[in-house]
Amino acid sequence: MQDNSNFCHLIFETDFGYAGLIFREKPFILSKVLLPRTSKKLLLECLEKAEWGKAGSNEKARRVSESIIAYFKGNVIQPCWEWMDMSGLTALEKTVLLAVADIPHGETRTYKNIAETVSRPKAYRFVGATLAKNPFPILIPCHRVVKSDGSVGQFGGGTEQKRKMIELEARH
């Protein structure tokens, strides 16, 4: 089991509900983004199950949270790659996430498109599995990847949240 005692969490409110960040303070490293939940209680239950350290704050964590809040108001955001801990991912998983990060705001791609982009045209299921464990949803916009038939497909925050995020981007 991972030792999470060196980690902190920051909870903040967005237009889609309460979201959170898991991070290490010194040196600062972002470990996970928690998608918005309809209530703070639901988000806290998620944190308790994962045992993600104490509540904390940090200038860089606040900057990331402000970016995510701005995203849910329709703004385009850019991830701070140097702060994101991708050490638990394979090289191919990182390649998939980088390809997804290149999808422009307001556009979508299919799982198959992403598989082709990473030169693994038949690996669309692998792409889906990688996106299912994306530690940085919103920053790495896995919600922009849809099924070939145009349906939204699965999402950690639920298909309705994914649909609303795609619609939000389309409006802005």
Coordinates of all heavy atoms in Angstrom, one line a residue, residues 53-147:
G53 N -4.2 11.8 2.9 CA -3.5 12.8 3.7 C -4.5 13.8 4.3 O -5.7 13.7 4.2
K54 N -3.8 14.8 4.8 CA -4.6 15.9 5.5 C -5.0 17.0 4.6 O -4.4 17.1 3.5 CB -3.7 16.5 6.6 CG -2.4 17.2 6.1 CD -1.5 17.6 7.2 CE -0.4 18.5 6.8 NZ 0.6 18.0 6.0
A55 N -6.0 17.8 5.0 CA -6.3 19.0 4.2 C -5.2 19.9 4.3 O -4.5 20.1 5.3 CB -7.6 19.6 4.9
G56 N -4.9 20.5 3.1 CA -3.8 21.4 3.0 C -4.0 22.5 2.0 O -4.9 22.4 1.2
S57 N -3.0 23.4 1.9 CA -3.1 24.4 0.9 C -1.6 24.7 0.5 O -0.7 24.5 1.3 CB -3.8 25.7 1.4 OG -4.0 26.5 0.3
N58 N -1.5 25.2 -0.7 CA -0.2 25.4 -1.3 C -0.4 26.4 -2.4 O -1.4 26.3 -3.1 CB 0.4 24.1 -1.7 CG 1.7 24.2 -2.5 OD1 1.7 24.8 -3.6 ND2 2.8 23.8 -1.9
E59 N 0.5 27.3 -2.6 CA 0.3 28.3 -3.7 C 0.1 27.7 -5.1 O -0.8 28.0 -5.8 CB 1.5 29.3 -3.8 CG 1.4 30.3 -4.9 CD 0.2 31.2 -4.9 OE1 -0.3 31.5 -3.8 OE2 -0.2 31.6 -6.0
K60 N 0.9 26.6 -5.4 CA 0.8 26.0 -6.7 C -0.5 25.2 -6.7 O -1.2 25.2 -7.8 CB 2.0 25.1 -6.9 CG 3.3 25.9 -7.1 CD 4.5 25.0 -7.3 CE 5.7 25.9 -7.5 NZ 7.0 25.1 -7.5
A61 N -0.9 24.6 -5.6 CA -2.2 23.8 -5.6 C -3.4 24.8 -5.8 O -4.3 24.5 -6.6 CB -2.4 23.1 -4.3
R62 N -3.3 26.0 -5.2 CA -4.3 27.0 -5.4 C -4.4 27.4 -6.9 O -5.5 27.6 -7.4 CB -4.1 28.2 -4.5 CG -4.6 27.9 -3.1 CD -4.6 29.1 -2.2 NE -3.3 29.8 -2.1 CZ -2.3 29.4 -1.2 NH1 -2.6 28.4 -0.4 NH2 -1.2 30.0 -1.1
R63 N -3.2 27.6 -7.5 CA -3.2 28.0 -8.9 C -3.8 26.9 -9.8 O -4.6 27.2 -10.7 CB -1.8 28.2 -9.4 CG -1.3 29.5 -8.8 CD 0.2 29.9 -9.1 NE 0.7 29.6 -10.4 CZ 2.0 29.5 -10.6 NH1 2.9 29.8 -9.6 NH2 2.5 29.2 -11.8
V64 N -3.6 25.6 -9.5 CA -4.2 24.5 -10.3 C -5.7 24.6 -10.0 O -6.5 24.5 -11.0 CB -3.6 23.2 -9.9 CG1 -4.4 22.0 -10.6 CG2 -2.1 23.1 -10.3
S65 N -6.1 24.7 -8.8 CA -7.6 24.7 -8.5 C -8.2 25.9 -9.2 O -9.4 25.8 -9.7 CB -7.8 24.8 -7.0 OG -7.5 26.0 -6.4
E66 N -7.6 27.1 -9.2 CA -8.2 28.2 -9.9 C -8.3 28.0 -11.4 O -9.3 28.4 -12.0 CB -7.3 29.5 -9.6 CG -7.4 30.0 -8.2 CD -6.3 31.0 -7.8 OE1 -5.5 31.3 -8.7 OE2 -6.3 31.4 -6.7
S67 N -7.4 27.3 -12.0 CA -7.5 26.9 -13.4 C -8.7 26.0 -13.6 O -9.4 26.1 -14.6 CB -6.2 26.2 -13.9 OG -5.1 27.0 -13.9
I68 N -8.9 25.0 -12.7 CA -10.0 24.1 -12.9 C -11.3 24.8 -12.7 O -12.3 24.6 -13.4 CB -9.8 22.9 -11.9 CG1 -8.6 22.0 -12.4 CG2 -11.1 22.0 -11.9 CD1 -8.2 21.0 -11.4
I69 N -11.4 25.7 -11.7 CA -12.6 26.5 -11.5 C -12.9 27.3 -12.8 O -14.0 27.4 -13.3 CB -12.4 27.5 -10.3 CG1 -12.4 26.6 -9.0 CG2 -13.5 28.5 -10.3 CD1 -11.9 27.4 -7.8
A70 N -11.8 27.9 -13.4 CA -12.0 28.7 -14.6 C -12.4 27.8 -15.8 O -13.3 28.2 -16.6 CB -10.7 29.4 -15.0
Y71 N -11.9 26.6 -15.8 CA -12.4 25.6 -16.9 C -13.9 25.5 -16.8 O -14.6 25.5 -17.9 CB -11.7 24.3 -16.7 CG -12.4 23.2 -17.6 CD1 -12.1 23.2 -19.0 CD2 -13.4 22.4 -17.1 CE1 -12.8 22.3 -19.8 CE2 -14.1 21.6 -17.9 CZ -13.8 21.5 -19.3 OH -14.5 20.7 -20.1
F72 N -14.5 25.3 -15.6 CA -15.9 25.1 -15.5 C -16.7 26.3 -15.7 O -17.9 26.3 -15.7 CB -16.2 24.4 -14.2 CG -15.9 22.9 -14.2 CD1 -14.8 22.5 -13.5 CD2 -16.6 22.0 -14.9 CE1 -14.4 21.1 -13.5 CE2 -16.3 20.7 -14.9 CZ -15.2 20.2 -14.2
K73 N -16.0 27.4 -16.0 CA -16.7 28.7 -16.4 C -16.6 28.9 -17.9 O -17.0 29.9 -18.5 CB -16.1 29.9 -15.6 CG -16.5 29.8 -14.2 CD -16.0 31.1 -13.5 CE -16.4 31.0 -12.0 NZ -17.8 30.9 -11.7
G74 N -15.9 27.9 -18.6 CA -15.8 27.9 -20.0 C -14.4 28.3 -20.6 O -14.3 28.5 -21.8
N75 N -13.5 28.5 -19.7 CA -12.1 29.0 -20.1 C -11.2 27.8 -20.5 O -11.4 26.7 -20.0 CB -11.4 29.7 -19.0 CG -12.1 31.0 -18.6 OD1 -12.5 31.8 -19.5 ND2 -12.4 31.2 -17.4
V76 N -10.3 28.1 -21.5 CA -9.3 27.2 -21.9 C -8.2 27.1 -20.9 O -7.8 28.2 -20.4 CB -8.8 27.6 -23.3 CG1 -7.7 26.6 -23.7 CG2 -9.9 27.6 -24.3
I77 N -7.8 26.0 -20.5 CA -6.7 25.9 -19.5 C -5.5 25.0 -20.1 O -5.8 24.2 -21.0 CB -7.1 25.3 -18.2 CG1 -7.7 23.9 -18.3 CG2 -8.2 26.3 -17.5 CD1 -8.0 23.2 -16.9
Q78 N -4.4 25.2 -19.6 CA -3.2 24.4 -20.0 C -2.6 23.7 -18.7 O -2.5 24.4 -17.7 CB -2.1 25.3 -20.6 CG -2.5 26.0 -21.8 CD -2.8 25.1 -23.0 OE1 -2.1 24.1 -23.1 NE2 -3.8 25.4 -23.7
P79 N -2.3 22.5 -18.8 CA -1.7 21.8 -17.7 C -0.3 22.2 -17.4 O 0.4 22.6 -18.4 CB -1.8 20.3 -18.1 CG -1.8 20.3 -19.6 CD -2.5 21.6 -20.0
C80 N 0.1 22.2 -16.2 CA 1.5 22.5 -15.8 C 2.2 21.1 -15.7 O 2.2 20.5 -14.7 CB 1.6 23.2 -14.5 SG 0.9 24.9 -14.5
W81 N 2.7 20.7 -16.8 CA 3.3 19.3 -16.9 C 4.4 19.1 -15.8 O 4.5 18.0 -15.3 CB 3.9 19.1 -18.3 CG 2.9 19.1 -19.4 CD1 2.6 20.1 -20.3 CD2 1.9 18.1 -19.6 NE1 1.6 19.7 -21.1 CE2 1.1 18.5 -20.7 CE3 1.7 16.8 -19.1 CZ2 0.1 17.7 -21.2 CZ3 0.7 16.0 -19.6 CH2 -0.1 16.5 -20.7
E82 N 5.2 20.1 -15.5 CA 6.3 19.8 -14.6 C 5.8 19.5 -13.2 O 6.5 19.0 -12.3 CB 7.3 21.0 -14.6 CG 6.7 22.3 -14.0 CD 6.0 23.2 -15.0 OE1 5.7 22.7 -16.2 OE2 5.7 24.3 -14.7
W83 N 4.5 19.8 -12.9 CA 3.9 19.6 -11.6 C 3.2 18.2 -11.5 O 2.8 17.8 -10.4 CB 3.0 20.7 -11.2 CG 3.6 22.0 -11.0 CD1 4.9 22.3 -10.9 CD2 2.9 23.3 -10.9 NE1 5.1 23.7 -10.7 CE2 3.8 24.3 -10.7 CE3 1.5 23.6 -11.0 CZ2 3.5 25.6 -10.6 CZ3 1.2 24.9 -10.8 CH2 2.2 25.9 -10.6
M84 N 3.0 17.6 -12.6 CA 2.1 16.4 -12.7 C 3.0 15.1 -12.5 O 3.9 14.9 -13.3 CB 1.3 16.4 -14.0 CG 0.4 17.6 -14.1 SD -0.2 18.0 -15.7 CE -1.2 16.6 -16.0
D85 N 2.6 14.3 -11.5 CA 3.4 13.1 -11.3 C 2.8 12.0 -12.2 O 1.8 11.4 -12.0 CB 3.3 12.7 -9.8 CG 4.0 11.4 -9.5 OD1 4.8 10.9 -10.4 OD2 3.9 10.9 -8.4
M86 N 3.6 11.6 -13.2 CA 3.2 10.6 -14.1 C 4.1 9.3 -13.9 O 4.1 8.4 -14.8 CB 3.3 11.1 -15.5 CG 2.3 12.1 -15.9 SD 2.3 12.4 -17.6 CE 0.7 13.2 -17.8
S87 N 4.8 9.2 -12.8 CA 5.7 8.1 -12.5 C 5.0 6.8 -12.5 O 5.7 5.8 -12.7 CB 6.5 8.4 -11.3 OG 5.6 8.4 -10.1
G88 N 3.8 6.7 -12.2 CA 3.1 5.4 -12.1 C 2.5 4.9 -13.5 O 1.9 3.9 -13.5
L89 N 2.8 5.6 -14.5 CA 2.3 5.3 -15.9 C 3.4 4.7 -16.8 O 4.6 5.1 -16.6 CB 1.7 6.5 -16.5 CG 0.6 7.2 -15.8 CD1 0.3 8.6 -16.4 CD2 -0.6 6.4 -15.8
T90 N 3.0 3.8 -17.7 CA 4.0 3.3 -18.6 C 4.3 4.3 -19.7 O 3.5 5.3 -19.8 CB 3.4 2.0 -19.3 OG1 2.3 2.4 -20.1 CG2 3.0 1.0 -18.3
A91 N 5.3 4.1 -20.5 CA 5.6 5.0 -21.6 C 4.5 5.1 -22.6 O 4.1 6.2 -23.0 CB 6.9 4.6 -22.3
L92 N 3.8 4.0 -22.9 CA 2.7 4.1 -23.8 C 1.5 4.8 -23.2 O 0.8 5.6 -23.9 CB 2.3 2.6 -24.3 CG 1.2 2.6 -25.4 CD1 1.6 3.4 -26.6 CD2 1.0 1.1 -25.7
E93 N 1.2 4.6 -22.0 CA 0.1 5.3 -21.3 C 0.4 6.8 -21.3 O -0.5 7.6 -21.6 CB 0.0 4.9 -19.9 CG -0.6 3.5 -19.8 CD -0.6 2.9 -18.4 OE1 0.3 3.3 -17.6 OE2 -1.4 2.0 -18.1
K94 N 1.6 7.2 -21.1 CA 2.0 8.6 -21.1 C 1.8 9.2 -22.6 O 1.3 10.3 -22.7 CB 3.4 8.9 -20.7 CG 3.7 8.6 -19.2 CD 5.2 8.8 -18.9 CE 5.5 8.3 -17.5 NZ 6.9 8.3 -17.2
T95 N 2.1 8.4 -23.6 CA 2.0 8.8 -24.9 C 0.5 9.0 -25.3 O 0.1 10.0 -25.9 CB 2.6 7.8 -25.9 OG1 4.0 7.6 -25.6 CG2 2.4 8.2 -27.3
V96 N -0.4 8.1 -24.8 CA -1.8 8.3 -25.0 C -2.3 9.6 -24.3 O -3.0 10.4 -24.9 CB -2.6 7.1 -24.4 CG1 -4.1 7.3 -24.3 CG2 -2.3 5.8 -25.3
L97 N -1.9 9.8 -23.1 CA -2.3 11.0 -22.4 C -1.8 12.3 -23.0 O -2.6 13.3 -23.1 CB -1.9 11.0 -20.9 CG -2.6 9.9 -20.1 CD1 -2.1 9.9 -18.6 CD2 -4.1 10.0 -20.1
L98 N -0.6 12.3 -23.5 CA -0.1 13.4 -24.3 C -0.9 13.7 -25.5 O -1.2 14.8 -25.9 CB 1.4 13.3 -24.6 CG 2.3 13.3 -23.4 CD1 3.7 12.9 -23.8 CD2 2.3 14.7 -22.8
A99 N -1.3 12.6 -26.2 CA -2.1 12.7 -27.4 C -3.5 13.3 -27.1 O -4.0 14.2 -27.8 CB -2.3 11.4 -28.1
V100 N -4.0 12.9 -26.0 CA -5.3 13.4 -25.6 C -5.2 14.9 -25.2 O -6.1 15.7 -25.5 CB -5.9 12.6 -24.4 CG1 -7.1 13.2 -23.8 CG2 -6.3 11.2 -24.9
A101 N -4.1 15.2 -24.5 CA -3.9 16.6 -24.1 C -3.8 17.6 -25.3 O -4.1 18.8 -25.2 CB -2.6 16.7 -23.3
D102 N -3.5 17.0 -26.5 CA -3.4 17.8 -27.7 C -4.8 18.1 -28.4 O -4.9 18.8 -29.4 CB -2.5 17.2 -28.7 CG -1.0 17.4 -28.4 OD1 -0.7 18.3 -27.5 OD2 -0.2 16.6 -28.9
I103 N -5.8 17.5 -27.9 CA -7.2 17.7 -28.5 C -7.6 19.1 -28.1 O -7.7 19.5 -27.0 CB -8.2 16.7 -28.0 CG1 -7.8 15.2 -28.2 CG2 -9.6 17.0 -28.6 CD1 -8.7 14.2 -27.5
P104 N -7.9 19.9 -29.2 CA -8.2 21.3 -28.9 C -9.5 21.4 -28.1 O -10.4 20.6 -28.2 CB -8.4 21.9 -30.3 CG -7.6 21.0 -31.2 CD -7.8 19.7 -30.6
H105 N -9.6 22.5 -27.2 CA -10.8 22.8 -26.5 C -12.0 22.9 -27.4 O -11.9 23.5 -28.5 CB -10.6 24.2 -25.8 CG -11.6 24.6 -24.9 ND1 -11.6 24.2 -23.5 CD2 -12.8 25.3 -25.0 CE1 -12.7 24.7 -22.9 NE2 -13.4 25.4 -23.8
G106 N -13.1 22.3 -27.1 CA -14.3 22.3 -27.9 C -14.3 21.3 -29.0 O -15.3 21.2 -29.7
E107 N -13.3 20.4 -29.1 CA -13.3 19.4 -30.1 C -13.3 18.0 -29.4 O -12.9 17.9 -28.3 CB -12.1 19.5 -31.1 CG -12.1 20.7 -31.9 CD -11.0 20.8 -32.9 OE1 -10.4 19.7 -33.2 OE2 -10.6 21.9 -33.3
T108 N -13.7 17.0 -30.2 CA -13.6 15.6 -29.6 C -12.8 14.7 -30.6 O -12.7 15.1 -31.8 CB -15.0 15.0 -29.4 OG1 -15.7 15.0 -30.6 CG2 -15.7 15.7 -28.3
R109 N -12.3 13.6 -30.2 CA -11.7 12.6 -31.0 C -12.3 11.3 -30.5 O -12.8 11.1 -29.4 CB -10.2 12.6 -30.8 CG -9.5 13.8 -31.2 CD -9.5 14.1 -32.7 NE -8.7 15.3 -33.1 CZ -9.1 16.5 -33.1 NH1 -10.4 16.8 -32.8 NH2 -8.3 17.5 -33.4
T110 N -12.1 10.2 -31.3 CA -12.6 8.9 -30.9 C -11.4 8.1 -30.3 O -10.3 8.5 -30.5 CB -13.1 8.1 -32.1 OG1 -12.1 7.9 -33.0 CG2 -14.3 8.8 -32.8
Y111 N -11.8 7.1 -29.6 CA -10.8 6.2 -29.0 C -9.9 5.7 -30.1 O -8.7 5.6 -30.0 CB -11.4 5.1 -28.2 CG -12.2 5.5 -27.0 CD1 -13.6 5.7 -27.1 CD2 -11.5 5.8 -25.8 CE1 -14.3 6.1 -25.9 CE2 -12.2 6.2 -24.7 CZ -13.6 6.4 -24.8 OH -14.2 6.8 -23.7
K112 N -10.5 5.4 -31.3 CA -9.8 4.9 -32.4 C -8.8 5.9 -33.0 O -7.7 5.6 -33.3 CB -10.7 4.4 -33.5 CG -10.1 3.8 -34.7 CD -11.0 3.3 -35.7 CE -10.3 2.7 -36.9 NZ -11.1 2.2 -37.9
N113 N -9.3 7.2 -33.1 CA -8.4 8.3 -33.5 C -7.1 8.4 -32.6 O -6.0 8.5 -33.2 CB -9.1 9.7 -33.4 CG -10.2 9.9 -34.4 OD1 -11.2 10.6 -34.0 ND2 -10.2 9.3 -35.6
I114 N -7.3 8.3 -31.3 CA -6.2 8.4 -30.4 C -5.3 7.2 -30.6 O -4.0 7.3 -30.7 CB -6.6 8.5 -29.0 CG1 -7.5 9.8 -28.8 CG2 -5.4 8.5 -28.0 CD1 -6.8 11.1 -29.1
A115 N -5.8 6.0 -30.8 CA -5.0 4.8 -31.0 C -4.2 5.0 -32.3 O -3.0 4.7 -32.3 CB -5.9 3.6 -31.1
E116 N -4.8 5.5 -33.3 CA -4.0 5.8 -34.6 C -3.0 6.9 -34.4 O -1.8 6.7 -34.9 CB -5.0 6.2 -35.7 CG -5.9 5.1 -36.1 CD -7.1 5.5 -37.0 OE1 -7.4 6.7 -37.1 OE2 -7.7 4.6 -37.6
T117 N -3.3 7.9 -33.6 CA -2.3 9.0 -33.3 C -1.0 8.4 -32.6 O 0.1 8.9 -32.9 CB -3.0 10.0 -32.4 OG1 -4.1 10.6 -33.1 CG2 -2.0 11.1 -32.1
V118 N -1.2 7.4 -31.8 CA 0.0 6.9 -31.1 C 0.5 5.7 -31.8 O 1.3 4.9 -31.2 CB -0.4 6.5 -29.6 CG1 -0.8 7.8 -28.8 CG2 -1.4 5.4 -29.4
S119 N 0.2 5.5 -33.1 CA 0.7 4.5 -33.9 C 0.3 3.0 -33.5 O 1.1 2.1 -33.7 CB 2.2 4.6 -34.1 OG 2.5 5.9 -34.6
R120 N -0.8 2.9 -32.8 CA -1.3 1.6 -32.4 C -2.8 1.5 -32.8 O -3.7 1.6 -32.0 CB -1.2 1.5 -30.9 CG 0.1 1.6 -30.3 CD 1.0 0.4 -30.6 NE 2.3 0.6 -30.1 CZ 2.8 -0.1 -29.1 NH1 2.1 -1.0 -28.5 NH2 4.1 0.1 -28.7
P121 N -3.1 1.5 -34.1 CA -4.4 1.6 -34.6 C -5.5 0.6 -34.1 O -6.7 0.9 -34.1 CB -4.3 1.5 -36.2 CG -2.9 0.9 -36.4 CD -2.1 1.2 -35.2
K122 N -5.1 -0.5 -33.6 CA -6.0 -1.5 -33.1 C -6.1 -1.4 -31.5 O -6.8 -2.2 -30.9 CB -5.6 -2.9 -33.5 CG -5.8 -3.0 -35.0 CD -5.5 -4.5 -35.4 CE -5.4 -4.6 -36.9 NZ -6.7 -4.6 -37.6
A123 N -5.4 -0.5 -30.9 CA -5.3 -0.4 -29.5 C -6.4 0.6 -28.9 O -6.1 1.1 -27.8 CB -3.9 0.0 -29.1
Y124 N -7.5 0.7 -29.5 CA -8.5 1.6 -29.0 C -9.1 1.2 -27.6 O -9.4 2.0 -26.8 CB -9.7 1.8 -29.9 CG -10.2 0.6 -30.6 CD1 -11.2 -0.2 -30.0 CD2 -9.7 0.1 -31.8 CE1 -11.7 -1.3 -30.6 CE2 -10.2 -1.0 -32.4 CZ -11.2 -1.7 -31.8 OH -11.6 -2.9 -32.4
R125 N -9.1 -0.1 -27.3 CA -9.5 -0.5 -25.9 C -8.4 -0.2 -24.9 O -8.7 0.2 -23.8 CB -9.7 -2.0 -25.9 CG -11.0 -2.4 -26.6 CD -11.5 -3.8 -26.2 NE -12.8 -4.1 -26.8 CZ -13.0 -5.0 -27.6 NH1 -12.1 -5.8 -28.1 NH2 -14.3 -5.2 -28.1
F126 N -7.1 -0.3 -25.3 CA -6.1 0.2 -24.5 C -6.2 1.7 -24.2 O -6.0 2.1 -23.0 CB -4.7 -0.1 -25.1 CG -3.5 0.4 -24.3 CD1 -3.1 -0.3 -23.2 CD2 -2.9 1.6 -24.6 CE1 -2.0 0.2 -22.4 CE2 -1.9 2.1 -23.9 CZ -1.4 1.4 -22.8
V127 N -6.5 2.4 -25.2 CA -6.7 3.9 -25.0 C -7.8 4.1 -24.0 O -7.7 4.9 -23.0 CB -7.1 4.6 -26.3 CG1 -7.6 6.0 -26.1 CG2 -5.9 4.6 -27.3
G128 N -8.9 3.4 -24.1 CA -10.0 3.5 -23.1 C -9.6 3.2 -21.7 O -9.9 3.9 -20.7
A129 N -8.8 2.1 -21.6 CA -8.4 1.6 -20.3 C -7.4 2.7 -19.7 O -7.4 3.0 -18.5 CB -7.7 0.3 -20.4
T130 N -6.6 3.3 -20.5 CA -5.6 4.3 -20.0 C -6.4 5.5 -19.6 O -6.1 6.1 -18.5 CB -4.6 4.7 -21.2 OG1 -3.9 3.5 -21.5 CG2 -3.7 5.8 -20.7
L131 N -7.4 5.9 -20.3 CA -8.2 7.1 -20.0 C -9.0 6.9 -18.7 O -9.2 7.8 -17.9 CB -9.0 7.6 -21.1 CG -8.3 8.0 -22.4 CD1 -9.3 8.5 -23.4 CD2 -7.2 9.0 -22.1
A132 N -9.4 5.6 -18.5 CA -10.1 5.3 -17.3 C -9.3 5.5 -16.0 O -9.9 5.8 -14.9 CB -10.6 3.9 -17.3
K133 N -8.0 5.4 -16.1 CA -7.1 5.7 -14.9 C -6.3 7.0 -15.0 O -5.4 7.1 -14.3 CB -6.2 4.5 -14.7 CG -5.3 4.1 -15.8 CD -4.5 2.9 -15.3 CE -3.3 2.6 -16.3 NZ -2.5 1.5 -15.9
N134 N -6.8 7.9 -15.9 CA -6.1 9.2 -16.0 C -6.1 9.9 -14.7 O -7.2 10.2 -14.1 CB -6.9 10.0 -17.1 CG -6.4 11.4 -17.2 OD1 -5.4 11.8 -16.6 ND2 -7.2 12.2 -17.9
P135 N -4.9 10.1 -14.1 CA -4.9 10.8 -12.8 C -5.2 12.3 -12.8 O -5.5 12.9 -11.8 CB -3.5 10.5 -12.3 CG -2.7 10.3 -13.6 CD -3.6 9.8 -14.6
F136 N -5.3 12.8 -14.0 CA -5.5 14.3 -14.1 C -6.6 14.7 -15.1 O -6.5 15.4 -16.0 CB -4.2 14.9 -14.6 CG -3.0 14.5 -13.8 CD1 -2.0 13.6 -14.4 CD2 -2.8 15.0 -12.5 CE1 -0.9 13.2 -13.6 CE2 -1.7 14.6 -11.8 CZ -0.8 13.7 -12.3
P137 N -7.8 14.1 -14.8 CA -9.0 14.5 -15.7 C -9.1 16.1 -15.6 O -8.8 16.7 -14.6 CB -10.2 13.8 -15.1 CG -9.8 13.5 -13.7 CD -8.3 13.3 -13.7
I138 N -9.6 16.6 -16.6 CA -9.8 18.1 -16.8 C -8.5 18.6 -17.4 O -8.4 19.2 -18.4 CB -10.3 18.9 -15.6 CG1 -11.6 18.3 -15.1 CG2 -10.5 20.4 -16.0 CD1 -12.0 18.7 -13.7
L139 N -7.4 18.5 -16.6 CA -6.1 18.9 -17.1 C -5.7 18.2 -18.4 O -5.2 18.7 -19.3 CB -5.0 18.8 -16.0 CG -5.3 19.6 -14.7 CD1 -4.2 19.3 -13.7 CD2 -5.4 21.1 -15.0
I140 N -5.8 16.8 -18.3 CA -5.7 16.0 -19.5 C -7.1 15.6 -19.9 O -7.7 14.8 -19.2 CB -4.8 14.8 -19.2 CG1 -3.4 15.2 -18.8 CG2 -4.8 13.9 -20.5 CD1 -2.4 14.1 -18.5
P141 N -7.7 16.2 -20.9 CA -9.1 16.2 -21.1 C -9.6 14.9 -21.7 O -10.1 14.9 -22.9 CB -9.3 17.4 -22.1 CG -8.0 17.4 -22.9 CD -6.9 17.0 -21.9
C142 N -9.6 13.9 -20.9 CA -10.1 12.6 -21.4 C -11.6 12.6 -21.8 O -12.1 11.8 -22.5 CB -9.8 11.5 -20.4 SG -10.4 11.8 -18.7
H143 N -12.3 13.6 -21.2 CA -13.7 13.8 -21.6 C -13.9 14.1 -23.1 O -15.0 13.9 -23.6 CB -14.4 14.8 -20.7 CG -13.8 16.2 -20.9 ND1 -12.6 16.6 -20.2 CD2 -14.2 17.2 -21.6 CE1 -12.4 17.8 -20.6 NE2 -13.3 18.2 -21.4
R144 N -12.9 14.5 -23.7 CA -13.0 14.9 -25.2 C -12.9 13.6 -26.1 O -12.9 13.8 -27.3 CB -11.9 15.9 -25.5 CG -12.1 17.2 -24.9 CD -11.0 18.2 -25.3 NE -11.1 19.4 -24.4 CZ -10.1 20.2 -24.2 NH1 -8.9 19.9 -24.7 NH2 -10.2 21.2 -23.4
V145 N -12.7 12.5 -25.5 CA -12.6 11.2 -26.3 C -13.9 10.5 -26.2 O -14.4 10.2 -25.1 CB -11.4 10.4 -25.8 CG1 -11.3 9.1 -26.7 CG2 -10.1 11.2 -25.8
V146 N -14.5 10.2 -27.4 CA -15.8 9.6 -27.5 C -15.7 8.3 -28.3 O -14.7 8.1 -29.0 CB -16.8 10.6 -28.1 CG1 -17.0 11.8 -27.2 CG2 -16.4 11.0 -29.5
K147 N -16.8 7.6 -28.3 CA -16.9 6.4 -29.1 C -17.0 6.7 -30.6 O -17.5 7.8 -31.0 CB -18.1 5.5 -28.6 CG -17.9 5.0 -27.2 CD -19.2 4.4 -26.8 CE -19.0 2.9 -26.6 NZ -20.2 2.2 -26.2

